[in-house]
Amino acid sequence: MGIQASKQVARKLPTQPRPETLQNIPKASPATVQPDISQHIQEPLFDKQEEEEKANPLHLANLSKLGPVTVPPVVTKMRKSDRMLGIIEERKKLDQEELEDPNAKHRVTIDKLYSLLEHRKHESPAPLDWAAMSRDTTIDEDKLKALFKHYNTVTVMPAADPNDPTERRLGVWVENKEQWKQAIQDTHKRHALERQQQIEKDHKPTDTETNESQRDKQLKDLFSD
């Protein structure tokens, strides 16, 4: 290691400047050079307007004669051959035909049907007044009975933890207030049973603890003899 270090040649710096360096001595520094800022400043717009008014004394009078400039609205004409126009016209035609259909009076809107199904859940278990509902909705009783038999709104049950908005809730089918009340009671019982099972699971001893307790009992019996 010492032999290699002794063979290395020390770097020598020049002691005299080169001739070309003396010939190209800078005359100024960046601190002394000030750029011409006036070249980058644009003339204000009002100066040009004043110059135009001075050059043409009637400039302001001509502007007053012209008055405010109004831009006419651009109206784009729709192409009559556009396929979308035909689709829109066909939809309007179908909507009008549906309104003028003589059988349209025997139909019910989805909002009306939803209200009827929700109202049923607040009624007693007694049979519904199908005749009155038929007069109100202009729908035959047989059709109403078939509709109420196969369709219903979702009745959401209470959650196990009311403070947890992300918890999934159960939706059930109820047709009157008694079924609704019973469904809520069953839901509370199920939640209580689930909580009890979770508590028992948390306090249940593990297999290791069970084996240790059995071994301690066997040792106790052995020494007691």
Side-chain angles (χ1 to χ4, degrees), residues 15-27:
T15 57
Q16 298 294 332
R18 297 179 181 178
E20 56 269 17
T21 304
L22 296 176
Q23 295 177 359
N24 300 326
I25 298 175
K27 304 295 182 180

Side-chain angles (χ1 to χ4, degrees), residues 6 14 73 114 153 164-165 224:
S6 61
Y114 181 84
T153 56
D164 186 6
S224 62

Side-chain angles (χ1 to χ4, degrees), residues 74-89:
V74 180
V75 180
T76 305
K77 295 183 179 181
M78 300 181 67
R79 295 178 299 175
K80 296 183 179 181
S81 60
D82 193 353
R83 184 179 178 183
M84 192 62 193
L85 293 177
I87 297 175
I88 296 175
E89 292 296 331

Side-chain angles (χ1 to χ4, degrees), residues 61 76 90 97 100 116 120 126 207:
T76 305
E90 188 65 23
E97 290 178 354
E100 297 176 355
L116 292 174
R120 176 177 65 167
D207 296 338

Side-chain angles (χ1 to χ4, degrees), residues 10 61 64 111 127 156 167 188 220:
S64 300
D111 295 335
V156 181
E167 182 181 358
H188 287 318
K220 185 177 180 181

Side-chain angles (χ1 to χ4, degrees), residues 11-163:
R11 183 181 178 184
K12 296 182 180 180
L13 296 176
T15 57
Q16 298 294 332
R18 297 179 181 178
E20 56 269 17
T21 304
L22 296 176
Q23 295 177 359
N24 300 326
I25 298 175
K27 304 295 182 180
S29 65
T32 58
V33 176
Q34 296 181 357
D36 189 1
I37 304 176
S38 60
Q39 297 179 358
H40 303 281
I41 300 177
Q42 297 181 356
E43 296 181 359
L45 182 60
F46 60 86
D47 293 343
K48 294 183 178 180
Q49 293 178 352
E50 291 180 357
E51 292 178 359
E52 292 179 357
E53 292 178 358
K54 292 178 181 179
N56 186 7
L58 300 177
H59 180 68
L60 184 59
N62 294 333
L63 292 177
S64 300
K65 291 180 181 179
L66 291 174
V69 179
T70 57
V71 180
V74 180
V75 180
T76 305
K77 295 183 179 181
M78 300 181 67
R79 295 178 299 175
K80 296 183 179 181
S81 60
D82 193 353
R83 184 179 178 183
M84 192 62 193
L85 293 177
I87 297 175
I88 296 175
E89 292 296 331
E90 188 65 23
R91 289 179 179 175
K92 291 182 179 179
K93 182 180 178 181
L94 293 175
D95 293 341
Q96 189 64 28
E97 290 178 354
E98 185 176 357
L99 294 175
E100 297 176 355
D101 188 2
N103 297 323
K105 62 180 182 179
H106 300 296
R107 299 173 185 173
V108 63
T109 61
I110 188 64
D111 295 335
K112 182 66 173 179
L113 178 59
Y114 181 84
S115 300
L116 292 174
L117 293 173
E118 283 291 315
H119 181 71
R120 176 177 65 167
K121 294 188 292 187
H122 296 272
E123 295 292 332
S124 60
L128 298 176
D129 190 355
W130 298 106
M133 293 177 60
S134 178
R135 290 192 301 269
D136 186 23
T137 60
T138 66
I139 299 178
D140 297 338
E141 294 184 21
D142 296 337
K143 293 182 179 179
L144 281 176
K145 292 179 180 179
L147 191 63
F148 275 56
K149 180 180 179 181
H150 299 286
Y151 290 92
N152 198 1
T153 56
V154 179
T155 305
V156 181
M157 293 291 98
D161 185 5
N163 299 324

